[in-house]
Short mmCIF file of all heavy atoms in Angstrom, two decimals:
data_model
loop_
_atom_site.label_atom_id
_atom_site.label_comp_id
_atom_site.label_asym_id
_atom_site.label_seq_id
_atom_site.Cartn_x
_atom_site.Cartn_y
_atom_site.Cartn_z
N MET G 94 0.85 -1.20 0.00
CA MET G 94 0.00 0.00 0.00
C MET G 94 0.89 1.25 0.00
O MET G 94 1.76 1.38 0.86
CB MET G 94 -0.89 -0.02 1.25
CG MET G 94 -2.03 1.01 1.20
SD MET G 94 -3.24 0.70 2.49
CE MET G 94 -3.99 2.33 2.58
N PRO G 95 0.71 2.12 -0.97
CA PRO G 95 1.59 3.31 -1.03
C PRO G 95 1.36 4.22 0.17
O PRO G 95 0.26 4.30 0.71
CB PRO G 95 1.17 3.99 -2.34
CG PRO G 95 -0.21 3.50 -2.61
CD PRO G 95 -0.30 2.12 -2.02
N THR G 96 2.44 4.88 0.56
CA THR G 96 2.35 5.81 1.68
C THR G 96 1.83 7.15 1.19
O THR G 96 2.48 7.80 0.38
CB THR G 96 3.72 5.99 2.34
OG1 THR G 96 4.24 4.71 2.66
CG2 THR G 96 3.61 6.83 3.60
N ALA G 97 0.65 7.53 1.65
CA ALA G 97 0.10 8.82 1.25
C ALA G 97 0.81 9.94 2.01
O ALA G 97 1.20 9.75 3.16
CB ALA G 97 -1.40 8.87 1.57
N PRO G 98 1.01 11.06 1.34
CA PRO G 98 1.62 12.19 2.06
C PRO G 98 0.72 12.63 3.21
O PRO G 98 -0.51 12.54 3.11
CB PRO G 98 1.73 13.29 0.99
CG PRO G 98 0.84 12.87 -0.12
CD PRO G 98 0.69 11.38 -0.04
N ALA G 99 1.32 13.05 4.29
CA ALA G 99 0.54 13.49 5.44
C ALA G 99 -0.29 14.71 5.07
O ALA G 99 0.15 15.54 4.30
CB ALA G 99 1.46 13.82 6.60
N PRO G 100 -1.49 14.80 5.61
CA PRO G 100 -2.28 16.02 5.36
C PRO G 100 -1.53 17.25 5.85
O PRO G 100 -0.71 17.16 6.76
CB PRO G 100 -3.55 15.80 6.19
CG PRO G 100 -3.56 14.35 6.55
CD PRO G 100 -2.15 13.86 6.48
N ALA G 101 -1.82 18.37 5.24
CA ALA G 101 -1.11 19.60 5.57
C ALA G 101 -1.21 19.91 7.06
O ALA G 101 -0.28 20.44 7.65
CB ALA G 101 -1.67 20.77 4.76
N GLU G 102 -2.34 19.54 7.67
CA GLU G 102 -2.55 19.91 9.07
C GLU G 102 -1.54 19.25 10.00
O GLU G 102 -1.30 19.73 11.09
CB GLU G 102 -3.95 19.51 9.52
CG GLU G 102 -5.06 20.28 8.83
CD GLU G 102 -5.34 19.69 7.46
OE1 GLU G 102 -5.38 18.46 7.34
OE2 GLU G 102 -5.51 20.46 6.50
N THR G 103 -0.96 18.11 9.56
CA THR G 103 -0.03 17.41 10.45
C THR G 103 1.42 17.74 10.14
O THR G 103 2.31 17.25 10.81
CB THR G 103 -0.23 15.89 10.35
OG1 THR G 103 0.10 15.48 9.04
CG2 THR G 103 -1.66 15.51 10.67
N GLN G 104 1.66 18.58 9.13
CA GLN G 104 3.03 18.98 8.83
C GLN G 104 3.49 20.01 9.85
O GLN G 104 2.73 20.88 10.24
CB GLN G 104 3.10 19.62 7.43
CG GLN G 104 2.74 18.67 6.30
CD GLN G 104 3.83 17.65 6.03
OE1 GLN G 104 4.99 17.92 6.26
NE2 GLN G 104 3.44 16.49 5.55
N PRO G 105 4.74 19.89 10.30
CA PRO G 105 5.25 20.92 11.21
C PRO G 105 5.17 22.30 10.56
O PRO G 105 5.50 22.44 9.38
CB PRO G 105 6.70 20.51 11.45
CG PRO G 105 6.75 19.06 11.12
CD PRO G 105 5.73 18.84 10.05
N THR G 106 4.73 23.25 11.30
CA THR G 106 4.55 24.61 10.81
C THR G 106 5.03 25.57 11.89
O THR G 106 4.97 25.26 13.08
CB THR G 106 3.06 24.87 10.50
OG1 THR G 106 2.63 23.93 9.51
CG2 THR G 106 2.83 26.27 9.95
N MET G 107 5.49 26.74 11.46
CA MET G 107 5.89 27.74 12.44
C MET G 107 4.64 28.21 13.18
O MET G 107 3.72 28.74 12.57
CB MET G 107 6.55 28.93 11.74
CG MET G 107 7.88 28.60 11.09
SD MET G 107 9.12 27.97 12.22
CE MET G 107 9.57 29.48 13.09
N CYS G 108 4.62 27.98 14.49
CA CYS G 108 3.44 28.27 15.29
C CYS G 108 3.62 29.57 16.06
O CYS G 108 4.53 29.69 16.88
CB CYS G 108 3.17 27.11 16.25
SG CYS G 108 1.84 27.45 17.41
N LEU G 109 2.73 30.51 15.78
CA LEU G 109 2.80 31.80 16.48
C LEU G 109 2.34 31.67 17.92
O LEU G 109 2.88 32.31 18.82
CB LEU G 109 1.92 32.82 15.74
CG LEU G 109 1.88 34.22 16.34
CD1 LEU G 109 3.25 34.86 16.32
CD2 LEU G 109 0.89 35.09 15.58
N LEU G 110 1.37 30.80 18.15
CA LEU G 110 0.80 30.66 19.49
C LEU G 110 1.85 30.16 20.49
O LEU G 110 1.96 30.68 21.60
CB LEU G 110 -0.37 29.68 19.44
CG LEU G 110 -1.10 29.44 20.77
CD1 LEU G 110 -1.77 30.73 21.24
CD2 LEU G 110 -2.12 28.34 20.64
N HIS G 111 2.63 29.17 20.07
CA HIS G 111 3.59 28.56 20.99
C HIS G 111 5.02 29.00 20.72
O HIS G 111 5.94 28.58 21.43
CB HIS G 111 3.50 27.04 20.89
CG HIS G 111 2.15 26.50 21.28
ND1 HIS G 111 1.29 25.93 20.36
CD2 HIS G 111 1.53 26.49 22.47
CE1 HIS G 111 0.18 25.56 21.01
NE2 HIS G 111 0.29 25.90 22.27
N GLY G 112 5.25 29.82 19.69
CA GLY G 112 6.61 30.22 19.35
C GLY G 112 7.46 29.00 19.08
O GLY G 112 8.56 28.87 19.61
N ASP G 113 6.94 28.10 18.24
CA ASP G 113 7.62 26.82 18.05
C ASP G 113 7.34 26.32 16.63
O ASP G 113 6.45 26.82 15.94
CB ASP G 113 7.09 25.81 19.07
CG ASP G 113 8.02 24.62 19.22
OD1 ASP G 113 9.11 24.62 18.62
OD2 ASP G 113 7.64 23.68 19.94
N TYR G 114 8.11 25.32 16.21
CA TYR G 114 7.92 24.67 14.91
C TYR G 114 7.40 23.28 15.19
O TYR G 114 8.14 22.42 15.68
CB TYR G 114 9.26 24.64 14.18
CG TYR G 114 9.22 24.00 12.81
CD1 TYR G 114 8.61 24.65 11.74
CD2 TYR G 114 9.82 22.77 12.59
CE1 TYR G 114 8.59 24.07 10.49
CE2 TYR G 114 9.81 22.19 11.34
CZ TYR G 114 9.19 22.84 10.29
OH TYR G 114 9.18 22.26 9.05
N HIS G 115 6.11 23.07 14.96
CA HIS G 115 5.52 21.77 15.30
C HIS G 115 4.24 21.55 14.50
O HIS G 115 3.73 22.48 13.88
CB HIS G 115 5.29 21.68 16.82
CG HIS G 115 4.27 22.65 17.33
ND1 HIS G 115 3.92 22.74 18.65
CD2 HIS G 115 3.51 23.58 16.70
CE1 HIS G 115 3.00 23.66 18.80
NE2 HIS G 115 2.73 24.19 17.65
N PRO G 116 3.73 20.29 14.51
CA PRO G 116 2.44 20.07 13.84
C PRO G 116 1.36 20.91 14.52
O PRO G 116 1.20 20.85 15.74
CB PRO G 116 2.19 18.57 14.04
CG PRO G 116 3.53 17.99 14.31
CD PRO G 116 4.30 19.06 15.04
N MET G 117 0.64 21.67 13.73
CA MET G 117 -0.29 22.64 14.28
C MET G 117 -1.58 21.97 14.76
O MET G 117 -2.14 21.10 14.09
CB MET G 117 -0.63 23.67 13.20
CG MET G 117 0.59 24.40 12.69
SD MET G 117 1.13 25.74 13.73
CE MET G 117 0.09 27.06 13.09
N GLU G 118 -2.05 22.44 15.91
CA GLU G 118 -3.36 22.02 16.40
C GLU G 118 -4.36 23.14 16.13
O GLU G 118 -3.99 24.21 15.65
CB GLU G 118 -3.28 21.71 17.90
CG GLU G 118 -2.38 20.52 18.17
CD GLU G 118 -2.14 20.31 19.66
OE1 GLU G 118 -2.80 21.00 20.45
OE2 GLU G 118 -1.29 19.48 19.99
N GLN G 119 -5.60 22.89 16.50
CA GLN G 119 -6.65 23.86 16.16
C GLN G 119 -6.37 25.23 16.76
O GLN G 119 -6.55 26.26 16.10
CB GLN G 119 -8.00 23.33 16.65
CG GLN G 119 -9.16 24.10 16.03
CD GLN G 119 -10.44 23.30 16.06
OE1 GLN G 119 -10.46 22.15 16.46
NE2 GLN G 119 -11.53 23.91 15.65
N ASP G 120 -5.92 25.26 18.02
CA ASP G 120 -5.62 26.54 18.67
C ASP G 120 -4.50 27.27 17.94
O ASP G 120 -4.49 28.49 17.87
CB ASP G 120 -5.23 26.31 20.13
CG ASP G 120 -6.44 25.97 20.99
OD1 ASP G 120 -7.57 26.08 20.49
OD2 ASP G 120 -6.24 25.59 22.15
N CYS G 121 -3.54 26.49 17.44
CA CYS G 121 -2.40 27.08 16.73
C CYS G 121 -2.88 27.77 15.45
O CYS G 121 -2.53 28.91 15.17
CB CYS G 121 -1.39 26.01 16.38
SG CYS G 121 -0.85 25.02 17.80
N TRP G 122 -3.71 27.06 14.68
CA TRP G 122 -4.24 27.64 13.44
C TRP G 122 -5.09 28.86 13.75
O TRP G 122 -5.07 29.85 13.02
CB TRP G 122 -5.06 26.61 12.67
CG TRP G 122 -4.22 25.58 11.99
CD1 TRP G 122 -4.25 24.23 12.21
CD2 TRP G 122 -3.21 25.79 11.00
NE1 TRP G 122 -3.31 23.61 11.41
CE2 TRP G 122 -2.67 24.53 10.66
CE3 TRP G 122 -2.71 26.93 10.37
CZ2 TRP G 122 -1.65 24.39 9.71
CZ3 TRP G 122 -1.68 26.78 9.42
CH2 TRP G 122 -1.18 25.52 9.10
N ALA G 123 -5.86 28.80 14.86
CA ALA G 123 -6.71 29.94 15.21
C ALA G 123 -5.85 31.17 15.46
O ALA G 123 -6.19 32.27 15.02
CB ALA G 123 -7.54 29.60 16.45
N ALA G 124 -4.72 30.99 16.15
CA ALA G 124 -3.83 32.12 16.42
C ALA G 124 -3.25 32.65 15.12
O ALA G 124 -3.13 33.87 14.93
CB ALA G 124 -2.72 31.68 17.37
N THR G 125 -2.90 31.75 14.21
CA THR G 125 -2.35 32.16 12.92
C THR G 125 -3.39 32.93 12.11
O THR G 125 -3.09 33.97 11.51
CB THR G 125 -1.89 30.92 12.13
OG1 THR G 125 -0.86 30.27 12.88
CG2 THR G 125 -1.36 31.30 10.76
N MET G 126 -4.62 32.43 12.12
CA MET G 126 -5.69 33.10 11.37
C MET G 126 -5.96 34.49 11.95
O MET G 126 -6.13 35.46 11.22
CB MET G 126 -6.98 32.27 11.41
CG MET G 126 -6.88 30.95 10.67
SD MET G 126 -6.47 31.14 8.92
CE MET G 126 -5.68 29.57 8.60
N ASP G 127 -5.99 34.57 13.30
CA ASP G 127 -6.22 35.87 13.95
C ASP G 127 -5.15 36.86 13.52
O ASP G 127 -5.43 38.02 13.25
CB ASP G 127 -6.20 35.71 15.47
CG ASP G 127 -7.49 35.09 15.98
OD1 ASP G 127 -8.45 34.97 15.19
OD2 ASP G 127 -7.53 34.72 17.17
N TRP G 128 -3.90 36.38 13.49
CA TRP G 128 -2.78 37.25 13.11
C TRP G 128 -2.99 37.76 11.68
O TRP G 128 -2.78 38.94 11.40
CB TRP G 128 -1.46 36.46 13.24
CG TRP G 128 -0.26 37.31 12.98
CD1 TRP G 128 0.48 37.99 13.90
CD2 TRP G 128 0.35 37.56 11.71
NE1 TRP G 128 1.51 38.66 13.26
CE2 TRP G 128 1.44 38.41 11.93
CE3 TRP G 128 0.07 37.16 10.40
CZ2 TRP G 128 2.27 38.86 10.90
CZ3 TRP G 128 0.87 37.61 9.36
CH2 TRP G 128 1.96 38.44 9.62
N GLN G 129 -3.40 36.87 10.79
CA GLN G 129 -3.58 37.26 9.39
C GLN G 129 -4.76 38.21 9.22
O GLN G 129 -4.69 39.17 8.46
CB GLN G 129 -3.76 36.02 8.51
CG GLN G 129 -2.45 35.25 8.36
CD GLN G 129 -2.61 34.00 7.52
OE1 GLN G 129 -3.70 33.48 7.35
NE2 GLN G 129 -1.50 33.49 7.03
N PHE G 130 -5.85 37.92 9.96
CA PHE G 130 -7.03 38.79 9.86
C PHE G 130 -6.72 40.19 10.37
O PHE G 130 -7.31 41.16 9.91
CB PHE G 130 -8.20 38.19 10.64
CG PHE G 130 -8.89 37.07 9.91
CD1 PHE G 130 -9.22 35.90 10.57
CD2 PHE G 130 -9.22 37.19 8.56
CE1 PHE G 130 -9.85 34.86 9.90
CE2 PHE G 130 -9.85 36.16 7.88
CZ PHE G 130 -10.16 34.99 8.55
N ALA G 131 -5.81 40.28 11.33
CA ALA G 131 -5.45 41.59 11.88
C ALA G 131 -4.54 42.36 10.93
O ALA G 131 -4.28 43.54 11.17
CB ALA G 131 -4.77 41.40 13.23
N ARG G 132 -4.04 41.70 9.90
CA ARG G 132 -3.11 42.34 8.96
C ARG G 132 -3.55 42.09 7.52
O ARG G 132 -2.80 41.51 6.73
CB ARG G 132 -1.70 41.80 9.18
CG ARG G 132 -1.12 42.21 10.52
CD ARG G 132 -0.01 41.28 10.95
NE ARG G 132 0.48 41.65 12.27
CZ ARG G 132 -0.13 41.31 13.40
NH1 ARG G 132 -1.24 40.61 13.37
NH2 ARG G 132 0.36 41.70 14.56
N PRO G 133 -4.75 42.55 7.15
CA PRO G 133 -5.27 42.26 5.80
C PRO G 133 -4.47 42.93 4.70
O PRO G 133 -4.58 42.56 3.54
CB PRO G 133 -6.70 42.79 5.85
CG PRO G 133 -6.69 43.82 6.93
CD PRO G 133 -5.68 43.35 7.95
N HIS G 134 -3.65 43.94 5.07
CA HIS G 134 -2.87 44.65 4.04
C HIS G 134 -1.64 43.86 3.62
O HIS G 134 -1.02 44.17 2.62
CB HIS G 134 -2.44 46.01 4.59
CG HIS G 134 -1.64 45.93 5.84
ND1 HIS G 134 -2.21 45.58 7.06
CD2 HIS G 134 -0.32 46.11 6.09
CE1 HIS G 134 -1.26 45.58 7.98
NE2 HIS G 134 -0.11 45.87 7.43
N LEU G 135 -1.26 42.82 4.41
CA LEU G 135 -0.09 42.02 4.07
C LEU G 135 -0.50 40.90 3.12
O LEU G 135 -1.50 40.22 3.35
CB LEU G 135 0.54 41.43 5.33
CG LEU G 135 1.19 42.43 6.28
CD1 LEU G 135 1.75 41.70 7.48
CD2 LEU G 135 2.29 43.22 5.59
N GLU G 136 0.30 40.71 2.08
CA GLU G 136 -0.01 39.66 1.10
C GLU G 136 1.25 38.89 0.74
O GLU G 136 2.36 39.42 0.82
CB GLU G 136 -0.59 40.28 -0.17
CG GLU G 136 -1.99 40.84 0.01
CD GLU G 136 -2.52 41.42 -1.29
OE1 GLU G 136 -1.80 41.36 -2.30
OE2 GLU G 136 -3.66 41.92 -1.27
N GLY G 137 1.05 37.65 0.33
CA GLY G 137 2.12 36.84 -0.24
C GLY G 137 3.37 36.78 0.62
O GLY G 137 3.30 36.53 1.83
N GLN G 138 4.51 37.03 -0.03
CA GLN G 138 5.79 36.89 0.66
C GLN G 138 5.90 37.87 1.83
O GLN G 138 6.47 37.55 2.86
CB GLN G 138 6.93 37.14 -0.33
CG GLN G 138 8.32 36.84 0.24
CD GLN G 138 8.46 35.37 0.62
OE1 GLN G 138 8.10 34.49 -0.16
NE2 GLN G 138 8.95 35.10 1.81
N GLU G 139 5.33 39.05 1.68
CA GLU G 139 5.40 40.04 2.74
C GLU G 139 4.71 39.51 4.00
O GLU G 139 5.21 39.66 5.11
CB GLU G 139 4.74 41.34 2.28
CG GLU G 139 5.02 42.52 3.19
CD GLU G 139 4.35 43.79 2.72
OE1 GLU G 139 3.50 43.72 1.80
OE2 GLU G 139 4.65 44.85 3.27
N ALA G 140 3.56 38.87 3.80
CA ALA G 140 2.82 38.31 4.93
C ALA G 140 3.62 37.17 5.56
O ALA G 140 3.69 37.06 6.79
CB ALA G 140 1.46 37.81 4.46
N ARG G 141 4.23 36.31 4.72
CA ARG G 141 5.02 35.20 5.26
C ARG G 141 6.20 35.71 6.07
O ARG G 141 6.49 35.21 7.16
CB ARG G 141 5.50 34.30 4.12
CG ARG G 141 4.43 33.33 3.63
CD ARG G 141 5.00 32.31 2.68
NE ARG G 141 5.29 32.88 1.36
CZ ARG G 141 4.39 33.03 0.40
NH1 ARG G 141 3.15 32.65 0.59
NH2 ARG G 141 4.72 33.54 -0.77
N ASP G 142 6.89 36.73 5.53
CA ASP G 142 8.05 37.27 6.24
C ASP G 142 7.63 37.87 7.57
O ASP G 142 8.28 37.67 8.59
CB ASP G 142 8.73 38.35 5.38
CG ASP G 142 9.48 37.74 4.21
OD1 ASP G 142 9.65 36.51 4.19
OD2 ASP G 142 9.89 38.50 3.31
N ALA G 143 6.52 38.62 7.56
CA ALA G 143 6.06 39.26 8.79
C ALA G 143 5.62 38.20 9.80
O ALA G 143 5.85 38.35 11.01
CB ALA G 143 4.90 40.22 8.48
N TYR G 144 5.00 37.14 9.30
CA TYR G 144 4.56 36.07 10.21
C TYR G 144 5.75 35.39 10.87
O TYR G 144 5.78 35.17 12.07
CB TYR G 144 3.72 35.06 9.43
CG TYR G 144 3.26 33.90 10.28
CD1 TYR G 144 2.22 34.06 11.18
CD2 TYR G 144 3.90 32.66 10.20
CE1 TYR G 144 1.81 33.01 11.99
CE2 TYR G 144 3.49 31.60 10.99
CZ TYR G 144 2.45 31.78 11.88
OH TYR G 144 2.06 30.74 12.67
N LEU G 145 6.76 35.06 10.05
CA LEU G 145 7.94 34.40 10.60
C LEU G 145 8.64 35.32 11.61
O LEU G 145 9.13 34.85 12.64
CB LEU G 145 8.91 34.02 9.47
CG LEU G 145 8.41 32.88 8.58
CD1 LEU G 145 9.44 32.58 7.49
CD2 LEU G 145 8.12 31.63 9.40
N ALA G 146 8.67 36.62 11.33
CA ALA G 146 9.28 37.55 12.27
C ALA G 146 8.50 37.55 13.58
O ALA G 146 9.09 37.62 14.66
CB ALA G 146 9.31 38.95 11.66
N ALA G 147 7.17 37.47 13.49
CA ALA G 147 6.34 37.45 14.69
C ALA G 147 6.59 36.18 15.49
O ALA G 147 6.66 36.22 16.73
CB ALA G 147 4.86 37.56 14.30
N VAL G 148 6.74 35.05 14.80
CA VAL G 148 7.01 33.79 15.50
C VAL G 148 8.38 33.86 16.18
O VAL G 148 8.54 33.41 17.33
CB VAL G 148 6.96 32.59 14.53
CG1 VAL G 148 7.40 31.32 15.23
CG2 VAL G 148 5.56 32.42 13.97
N GLU G 149 9.36 34.46 15.49
CA GLU G 149 10.69 34.57 16.08
C GLU G 149 10.64 35.43 17.34
O GLU G 149 11.31 35.13 18.33
CB GLU G 149 11.67 35.15 15.06
CG GLU G 149 12.11 34.11 14.05
CD GLU G 149 12.97 34.72 12.94
OE1 GLU G 149 13.41 35.88 13.10
OE2 GLU G 149 13.19 34.04 11.94
N ARG G 150 9.87 36.51 17.30
CA ARG G 150 9.73 37.35 18.50
C ARG G 150 9.11 36.53 19.63
O ARG G 150 9.52 36.64 20.79
CB ARG G 150 8.86 38.57 18.20
CG ARG G 150 9.66 39.73 17.64
CD ARG G 150 8.89 41.03 17.75
NE ARG G 150 7.62 40.99 17.02
CZ ARG G 150 7.51 41.26 15.74
NH1 ARG G 150 8.55 41.60 15.04
NH2 ARG G 150 6.33 41.19 15.16
N GLN G 151 8.12 35.71 19.28
CA GLN G 151 7.47 34.88 20.29
C GLN G 151 8.47 33.89 20.89
O GLN G 151 8.50 33.66 22.10
CB GLN G 151 6.31 34.12 19.64
CG GLN G 151 5.52 33.24 20.58
CD GLN G 151 4.66 34.03 21.54
OE1 GLN G 151 4.21 35.12 21.21
NE2 GLN G 151 4.47 33.52 22.73
N MET G 152 9.32 33.31 20.04
CA MET G 152 10.35 32.38 20.52
C MET G 152 11.28 33.09 21.50
O MET G 152 11.63 32.55 22.55
CB MET G 152 11.17 31.86 19.34
CG MET G 152 10.48 30.83 18.48
SD MET G 152 11.55 30.40 17.08
CE MET G 152 10.67 28.96 16.47
N LEU G 153 11.70 34.32 21.15
CA LEU G 153 12.61 35.06 22.01
C LEU G 153 11.92 35.40 23.33
O LEU G 153 12.54 35.32 24.39
CB LEU G 153 13.08 36.34 21.31
CG LEU G 153 14.02 36.10 20.12
CD1 LEU G 153 14.33 37.41 19.42
CD2 LEU G 153 15.30 35.44 20.58
N ASP G 154 10.64 35.77 23.25
CA ASP G 154 9.90 36.06 24.48
C ASP G 154 9.87 34.83 25.38
O ASP G 154 10.03 34.95 26.59
CB ASP G 154 8.46 36.47 24.15
CG ASP G 154 8.39 37.88 23.59
OD1 ASP G 154 9.42 38.58 23.63
OD2 ASP G 154 7.31 38.26 23.13
N ASP G 155 9.64 33.66 24.78
CA ASP G 155 9.62 32.44 25.57
C ASP G 155 10.97 32.19 26.22
O ASP G 155 11.05 31.78 27.38
CB ASP G 155 9.25 31.24 24.69
CG ASP G 155 7.76 31.22 24.35
OD1 ASP G 155 7.02 32.01 24.97
OD2 ASP G 155 7.36 30.41 23.50
N LEU G 156 12.05 32.44 25.49
CA LEU G 156 13.39 32.25 26.04
C LEU G 156 13.60 33.17 27.24
O LEU G 156 14.13 32.75 28.27
CB LEU G 156 14.44 32.55 24.97
CG LEU G 156 14.77 31.41 24.00
CD1 LEU G 156 15.77 31.90 22.96
CD2 LEU G 156 15.32 30.21 24.74
N VAL G 157 13.19 34.41 27.07
CA VAL G 157 13.37 35.39 28.15
C VAL G 157 12.58 34.96 29.38
O VAL G 157 13.07 35.02 30.51
CB VAL G 157 12.94 36.80 27.67
CG1 VAL G 157 12.87 37.75 28.85
CG2 VAL G 157 13.90 37.30 26.62
N ARG G 158 11.34 34.53 29.14
CA ARG G 158 10.48 34.14 30.26
C ARG G 158 11.01 32.91 31.00
O ARG G 158 10.80 32.77 32.19
CB ARG G 158 9.06 33.85 29.76
CG ARG G 158 8.16 35.07 29.77
CD ARG G 158 6.71 34.67 29.68
NE ARG G 158 6.39 34.02 28.42
CZ ARG G 158 6.04 34.68 27.32
NH1 ARG G 158 5.97 35.98 27.34
NH2 ARG G 158 5.76 34.03 26.21
N SER G 159 11.68 32.01 30.27
CA SER G 159 12.12 30.76 30.88
C SER G 159 13.45 30.93 31.62
O SER G 159 13.97 29.97 32.14
CB SER G 159 12.23 29.66 29.82
OG SER G 159 13.29 29.96 28.91
N HIS G 160 14.00 32.17 31.62
CA HIS G 160 15.26 32.39 32.32
C HIS G 160 15.09 33.36 33.47
O HIS G 160 14.11 34.05 33.54
CB HIS G 160 16.33 32.90 31.34
CG HIS G 160 16.84 31.83 30.44
ND1 HIS G 160 16.23 31.51 29.26
CD2 HIS G 160 17.86 30.98 30.57
CE1 HIS G 160 16.89 30.52 28.70
NE2 HIS G 160 17.88 30.17 29.46
ZN1 ZN R 388 1.25 25.55 18.49
#
């Protein structure tokens, strides 16, 4: 039986909610959607770059909080 590719939902994705790279859960997607809805002027690559920058800030915040 051929191995079907995993659905997109189970692929690791940069998660804004948790500041992490992991398979997204419903809460994770909700946070991502909220972020996008709050920035309707961002499109395409610009939106992706801004999103990744936001996730990186979240990662740094988590690092600061854990120390
Ligand atoms: Zn997450």
Side-chain angles (χ1 to χ4, degrees):
M94 193 167 159
T96 307
E102 293 81 42
T103 64
Q104 296 286 332
T106 301
M107 294 301 286
C108 174
L109 180 62
L110 181 65
H111 298 111
D113 198 6
Y114 181 72
H115 65 180
M117 301 279 273
E118 295 172 8
Q119 194 158 355
D120 286 351
C121 307
W122 285 120
T125 298
M126 293 301 154
D127 284 349
W128 185 92
Q129 288 179 339
F130 282 134
R132 293 158 183 80
H134 58 288
L135 292 179
E136 290 181 0
Q138 188 62 47
E139 193 181 10
R141 280 190 287 276
D142 287 349
Y144 178 76
L145 290 180
V148 173
E149 282 174 13
R150 273 198 300 274
Q151 181 72 30
M152 285 176 169
L153 290 175
D154 285 351
D155 285 349
L156 277 177
V157 169
R158 270 197 296 273
S159 67
H160 286 86

